[in-house]
Amino acid sequence: MFITLEGPDGGGKSSQIGPLVEFLTRAGYRVLATREPGGTPIGDRVRQVLMDLGSAEMHPRTEILLFQSSRAQLVEQVIRPYLAAGGVVVCDRYADSTLAYQGYGQGESLATLRSLLDFATGGLKPDLTFLLDLDPEVGIARRKAGGGEWNRLDANTLAYHRRVRAGYQELARLEPARWVLVDASQPPDAVQSQLRRIALDRMRAQEPSRQA
Ligand code: TMP
């Protein structure tokens, strides 16, 4: 089972993933948490280039391709081997981030991006994707208040972040069997309970023998 967490910045994905993985591990699954961009030594170096406030002159196509190189490495070095060994992978962002940010946010052609994504992932799609949906104004305020790093990509305009959110909502509407929309403005514990319940239900549904 391959689970991804998606959504606008500040939706709390990174703080939700640890407790979710812990819960699923206690439920008896082998679970790996990873993130994008990054998740491998090569990907982490690509992440630094992408996030660096000094990379201001980066061309949008360069940015798109860097996201794909980090992703290709993560898929082949980490995700596929873990899934093949029967494990569960929970990933903080994946291919849908490229559609939401570079597609809906920046206006790059969705068809072009989809073919790049297919190449980068070798066709690997998540089984379940949570959209931690949040008003970008709230998300940006949370990011600023959180005291974490403020990176090059955070510096985009509010209008851009609004397009990203609307893009995510459309992606979720287009593939309702894969996406589950979660209201990320709820208290973190409420978000966590929802993630746990839905993930466990889906996993049990995939493995009927475990229900006995
Ligand atoms: P995060 O690790 O804090 O989620 O930051 C990753 C940033 O990179 C976030 O602003 C979303 C952005 N991003 C893209 O624009 N395209 C992508 O394909 C991915 C994976 C992330």
Side-chain angles (χ1 to χ4, degrees):
M1 179 106 176
F2 179 25
I3 302 174
T4 57
L5 270 66
E6 293 283 355
D9 299 75
K13 289 184 291 36
S14 325
S15 26
Q16 293 290 347
I17 204 163
L20 176 63
V21 165
E22 224 171 88
F23 169 78
L24 294 174
T25 305
R26 277 201 308 273
Y29 295 93
R30 271 185 65 234
V31 192
L32 176 82
T34 187
R35 71 158 177 189
E36 277 207 1
T40 63
I42 291 172
D44 285 337
R45 272 148 60 198
V46 173
R47 181 184 177 93
Q48 281 173 16
V49 177
L50 278 162
M51 299 300 175
D52 189 353
L53 287 164
S55 301
E57 76 274 28
M58 189 183 293
H59 191 276
R61 290 203 302 277
T62 310
E63 183 178 283
I64 289 168
L65 293 169
L66 284 175
F67 279 120
Q68 305 324 307
S69 25
S70 168
R71 180 164 297 138
Q73 190 65 29
L74 182 67
V75 166
E76 299 308 331
Q77 190 178 345
V78 176
I79 302 179
R80 274 191 204 280
Y82 207 82
L83 294 175
V88 175
V89 176
V90 185
C91 194
D92 183 348
R93 298 197 181 282
Y94 187 61
D96 297 301
S97 284
T98 292
L99 295 173
Y101 284 82
Q102 282 66 53
Y104 292 93
Q106 288 174 12
E108 187 54 68
S109 145
L110 293 174
T112 302
L113 292 177
R114 284 188 195 281
S115 92
L116 281 174
L117 290 171
D118 201 45
F119 179 70
T121 62
L124 181 70
K125 288 195 100 181
D127 301 294
L128 169 64
T129 299
F130 289 109
L131 170 52
L132 271 62
D133 182 55
L134 187 70
D135 181 335
E137 248 169 304
V138 177
I140 291 166
R142 276 192 191 172
R143 293 265 305 149
K144 284 188 171 158
E149 50 141 28
W150 183 252
N151 62 51
R152 191 177 63 83
L153 300 170
D154 287 313
N156 283 304
T157 64
L158 184 58
Y160 170 85
H161 287 288
R162 290 213 171 101
R163 290 196 297 276
V164 169
R165 182 197 196 188
Y168 269 128
Q169 291 173 338
E170 182 164 307
L171 290 171
R173 273 196 301 274
L174 290 172
E175 251 184 296
R178 171 163 71 91
W179 288 82
V180 175
L181 196 142
V182 175
D183 175 4
S185 71
Q186 299 176 91
D189 285 355
V191 172
Q192 180 65 210
S193 317
Q194 222 176 325
L195 298 182
R196 288 180 177 188
R197 183 176 46 75
I198 294 164
L200 202 56
D201 282 357
R202 289 284 180 107
M203 283 161 58
R204 289 190 167 149
Q206 276 204 345
E207 295 171 61
S209 57
R210 289 186 62 103
Q211 284 179 332

